[in-house]
Amino acid sequence: RYQLNPHFLFNTLNAISTLVLDKATEQANEMLTKLSKFLRYSLEHAPLDKVTLAHEIATSRLYLDIEKVRFAERLKLKINVASQAEGALVPSFLLQPLIENSIKHAVSKSEEGGMVEISARVEGDSLILEVVDEGPGVLLNQSEADTVADSTGVGLSNIRNRLQQIYGANHELVISAVQPRGCKVTVNIPYDFK
């Protein structure tokens, strides 16, 4: 929770400042409210806390709504969560770093922007979460794919460590290429529900 991207906070405050200067007070107030809720959520939940997927998606939407002010129509979003998955328990702040990576590597680097797709489904005793983007993707060479899978980036490293602490060996975090281009991060954890 202390590794929230300072660039995100800086960009959000700049966007709010611009709205205030443009006298768009209603939008500025709405953005401040969403930022406040998002930050409150980050402080209320310890790294190993579990929340329902519905709650995690709602918090991710706060983050995405804030980013939408920055990227406008360049940020396209698709969320597909199976009803059975909504009550599943997941580690808090599991999705946000994955979404942030997609925005950083796919949306912000392209003039046209791009799509970020979040999906969740239950398969047997497993909850499968996926975050897919239309960015440059990962390299297909096996040694390079292994390097990406063992990435020490703060967001992925943080998620990998928390999944290990919570689930031991009973989880998967897989990063793969999407054709014709893009990246998919798949998280497979035990289906536990509230």
Side-chain angles (χ1 to χ4, degrees), residues 76 102 105-107 110 113-116 132-137 181-183:
K76 297 158 196 74
S102 287
H105 297 291
V107 178
S110 168
M115 173 74 72
V116 176
V132 181
D133 65 51
E134 301 173 326
R181 57 177 287 182
C183 180

Side-chain angles (χ1 to χ4, degrees), residues 92-189:
S92 65
F93 267 89
L94 177 64
L95 292 175
Q96 189 273 337
L98 301 177
I99 295 166
E100 185 177 338
N101 277 348
S102 287
I103 290 172
K104 178 180 176 184
H105 297 291
V107 178
S108 71
K109 305 237 178 189
S110 168
E111 270 188 48
E112 306 86 43
M115 173 74 72
V116 176
E117 187 173 342
I118 303 162
S119 64
R121 65 188 182 280
V122 176
E123 289 184 4
D125 294 336
S126 296
L127 175 68
I128 313 295
L129 301 164
E130 294 178 337
V131 177
V132 181
D133 65 51
E134 301 173 326
V138 293
L139 301 169
L140 298 176
N141 166 321
Q142 187 57 49
S143 66
E144 293 167 325
D146 289 343
T147 301
V148 170
D150 293 333
S151 169
T152 58
V154 171
L156 287 174
S157 177
N158 183 305
I159 290 172
R160 186 174 284 109
N161 290 338
R162 289 191 302 137
L163 291 174
Q164 181 65 38
Q165 286 182 333
I166 296 169
Y167 302 108
N170 197 16
H171 76 279
E172 286 183 316
L173 175 64
V174 178
I175 302 165
S176 56
V178 175
Q179 296 302 325
R181 57 177 287 182
C183 180
K184 175 169 67 173
V185 179
T186 304
V187 177
N188 182 335
I189 56 177

